[in-house]
């Protein structure tokens, strides 16, 4: 690759990210934002079931195990599944900022193959904020936080209002999420959505 996309470079007037005072404490498991999310939801039999934890500052860590249902080439993770794992981890950062944001751009570098049954360890951080734009990056390692790098990503998330989902989502799912009697689950369904 000759270089990074300039759309992923924060402008000169960008500010350092600030962790929201009500963000989950470092080490706290963030949990699924929506039961049917392919990345983190328990309601997806072949989903990633990615588990993210709040880190220090505006950082998260996450893990997921590559299953046979996630393969592209025989015995290896599909690149789109790996990009989804990065996107889900990066999207979890927004919970630490306490904003609703969607992926605007995701640039992924695939460094090495990831075999089926591998535990992929992901680390992500917000690097800058400029208005509604949130700049972040992530790295995925095989087997643990010190394992070999398998993939990297730079991302741009855009802060949106909940109307983004209500106006564009399939009505059945929107109605079901809005009708959930659990206020926290109802709010979280719209917090992190790649």
């Amino acid at each position: 690759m000759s270089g990074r996309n300039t759309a992923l470079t924060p402008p000169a007037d960008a500010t350092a990210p600030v962790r929201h005072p009500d963000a989950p404490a470092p080490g706290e498991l963030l949990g699924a934002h929506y039961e049917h999310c392919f990345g983190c939801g328990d309601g997806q039999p072949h989903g990633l079931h990615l588990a993210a934890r709040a880190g220090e500052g505006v950082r998260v860590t996450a893990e997921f195990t590559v299953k046979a249902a996630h393969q592209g080439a025989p015995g290896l993770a599909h690149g789109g599944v790996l990009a989804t794992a990065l996107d889900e981890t990066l999207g979890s950062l927004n919970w630490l900022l306490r904003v609703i944001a969607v992926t605007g751009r995701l640039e992924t570098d695939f460094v090495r193959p990831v075999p089926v049954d591998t535990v992929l360890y992901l680390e992500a951080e917000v690097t800058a904020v400029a208005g509604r734009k949130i700049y972040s990056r992530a790295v995925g390692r095989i087997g643990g936080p010190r394992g070999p790098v398998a993939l990297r990503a730079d991302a741009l998330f855009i802060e949106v209002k909940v109307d983004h989902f209500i106006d564009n989502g399939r009505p059945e799912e929107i109605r079901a999420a809005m009708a959930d009697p659990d206020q926290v689950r109802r709010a979280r369904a719209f917090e992190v959505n790649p």
Side-chain angles (χ1 to χ4, degrees):
M1 224 172 147
S2 62
R4 288 308 211 203
N5 187 310
T6 57
L8 296 171
T9 303
D13 63 347
T15 59
V18 177
R19 183 189 188 99
H20 193 279
D22 295 330
E28 188 175 325
L29 188 63
L30 299 180
H33 74 92
Y34 178 54
E35 176 187 4
H36 300 291
C37 174
F38 181 78
C40 65
D42 292 332
Q44 290 287 346
H46 298 297
L48 304 185
H49 303 146
L50 188 131
R53 289 190 181 278
E56 296 291 335
V58 189
R59 293 183 173 87
V60 296
T61 59
E63 291 185 9
F64 95 96
T65 301
V66 178
K67 304 287 187 191
H70 303 142
Q71 64 189 312
L76 296 174
H78 189 287
V81 168
L82 296 175
T84 300
L86 285 166
D87 190 43
E88 185 69 28
T89 304
L90 289 156
S92 296
L93 290 164
N94 298 316
W95 179 238
L96 301 180
L97 298 172
R98 297 299 294 262
V99 299
I100 300 171
V102 295
T103 310
R105 186 175 207 89
L106 176 67
E107 185 172 299
T108 305
D109 294 326
F110 299 95
V111 179
R112 70 178 63 230
V114 179
V116 169
D117 295 327
T118 295
V119 174
L120 192 63
Y121 180 86
L122 300 124
E123 298 173 308
E125 67 177 330
V126 176
T127 58
V129 176
R132 294 177 43 227
K133 295 181 177 182
I134 302 163
Y135 297 86
S136 54
R137 63 180 169 220
V139 63
R141 296 176 180 273
I142 293 175
R146 296 190 178 165
V149 172
L151 53 154
R152 292 185 189 92
D154 288 300
L156 170 64
F157 279 76
I158 308 297
E159 186 175 351
V160 297
K161 303 291 182 206
V162 73
D163 292 352
H164 169 86
F165 303 103
I166 293 169
D167 294 345
N168 296 294
R170 194 165 71 167
E172 301 90 271
E173 281 84 1
I174 297 298
R175 280 194 297 274
M178 297 294 276
D180 192 321
D182 184 318
Q183 183 178 358
V184 172
R185 228 179 15 233
R186 186 172 57 240
R188 288 208 65 197
F190 300 102
E191 281 174 357
V192 180
N193 192 318

